[in-house]
Amino acid sequence: MSTGITVTDACFGSKVESICTQMELSSSSETFLHNFCHVICNLNPEPSFSNCCVIAKHCFLDKLQQLQQNASRSLLMSIIKFCESFPKPAIEGVLVPIACGDLGSPQVDVISRLTRETLSGEMRLHLYRSLCNIDMEWNPSTSLLFQTLLNTKLDLDEGTLTKFLSLLEHHGVSQQKCLKFGKVLLTTINKYGKQFSPSLVTVMSHILDVNRTYLKKTSAAALKKL
């Protein structure tokens, strides 16, 4: 695996991108990928943040975006290993771009496992904030992803909550019949409602007004108690 060491130790910027492309990392076998990640994660000194983002993108982005079923154990162990060593590059280079694409259950399964088992509280919050700041299509899998993050008891400040509720309001009509979206609304109220300012209570009330799931009444009752 000396090639992997050359990629990170001797090259910078566009050169790393070029060498990763030449190595065809995005189409490499999972066995090669596992060994390659082992080398990368044990380099001393470790690769720079920008180089790690490039490597993460080439190693995992295409493979995870193309998943039609749950990731294999080998692929999952490789991304877990990489994420343990380089959590922020994994978020920036792989997890957030996946959320911007055609997000489905296999992709959410990977991100959720990394969220629960690998990412620290600080990195979970970074992922959450990053997702709140990107332009993405919202579908039931998106709701499931945010549900997983909310269940980790994130330390959200008012600014972050304001951004998230604005996002929920934006998608409220298109997701009005989605039960998973309704669960996100109820979880947000139950876990973070005590932090709501009067203006946020009003925003959440507007979101619930257009909701058409059976959780609407439960959520409205919880909001009223705040």
Side-chain angles (χ1 to χ4, degrees):
M1 297 300 293
S2 59
T3 304
I5 296 176
T6 302
V7 167
T8 55
D9 285 351
C11 302
F12 301 90
S14 61
K15 290 186 178 180
V16 175
E17 184 86 40
S18 176
I19 291 178
C20 286
T21 300
Q22 291 173 23
M23 291 178 66
E24 299 182 334
L25 288 176
S26 61
S27 59
S28 63
S29 71
E30 292 183 5
T31 299
F32 177 86
L33 188 62
H34 177 80
N35 293 332
F36 181 80
C37 287
H38 178 77
V39 172
I40 296 298
C41 293
N42 286 282
L43 285 177
N44 186 21
E46 66 181 33
S48 68
F49 170 78
S50 59
N51 283 349
C52 281
C53 287
V54 172
I55 294 168
K57 180 185 71 173
H58 279 271
C59 284
F60 301 111
L61 185 56
D62 283 353
K63 281 182 168 56
L64 294 180
Q65 285 179 329
Q66 294 168 9
L67 286 176
Q68 299 297 316
Q69 58 187 10
N70 286 351
S72 67
R73 185 178 184 278
S74 177
L75 179 57
L76 197 56
M77 291 302 101
S78 294
I79 183 65
I80 287 175
K81 176 66 175 176
F82 190 93
C83 195
E84 286 175 343
S85 299
F86 311 112
K88 198 168 185 179
I91 291 171
E92 300 292 339
V94 182
L95 305 189
V96 172
I98 286 176
C100 291
D102 187 15
L103 188 65
S105 295
Q107 290 77 26
V108 172
D109 181 72
V110 172
I111 301 175
S112 295
R113 180 157 180 179
L114 293 173
T115 298
R116 293 191 303 266
E117 301 179 12
T118 306
L119 296 178
S120 66
E122 180 183 1
M123 287 296 102
R124 289 170 184 165
L125 185 57
H126 178 69
L127 173 59
Y128 177 87
R129 286 173 170 164
S130 297
L131 293 175
C132 287
N133 284 298
I134 61 174
D135 183 19
M136 61 180 175
E137 295 294 326
W138 196 296
N139 62 37
S141 293
T142 313
S143 294
L144 189 58
L145 175 55
F146 274 106
Q147 183 73 49
T148 298
L149 284 163
L150 292 171
N151 285 342
T152 64
K153 299 179 181 180
L154 299 169
D155 185 14
L156 304 181
D157 56 29
E158 185 175 346
T160 304
L161 279 171
T162 298
K163 183 70 177 179
F164 184 53
L165 264 65
S166 176
L167 190 64
L168 295 176
E169 186 176 31
H170 178 73
H171 294 285
V173 173
S174 67
Q175 299 299 309
Q176 63 183 186
K177 296 181 180 179
C178 176
L179 183 58
K180 289 184 175 66
F181 187 83
K183 288 181 178 178
V184 169
L185 300 182
L186 181 58
T187 299
T188 303
I189 295 169
N190 285 338
K191 289 185 178 293
Y192 302 101
K194 292 181 179 179
Q195 298 174 233
F196 283 8
S197 64
S199 62
L200 289 183
V201 171
T202 300
V203 172
M204 181 58 80
S205 180
H206 290 163
I207 299 170
L208 292 176
D209 283 343
V210 300
N211 192 256
R212 297 293 180 267
T213 70
Y214 72 84
L215 292 173
K216 176 178 180 175
K217 289 184 178 180
T218 303
S219 298
L223 185 65
K224 191 175 182 180
K225 293 179 180 178
L226 298 180

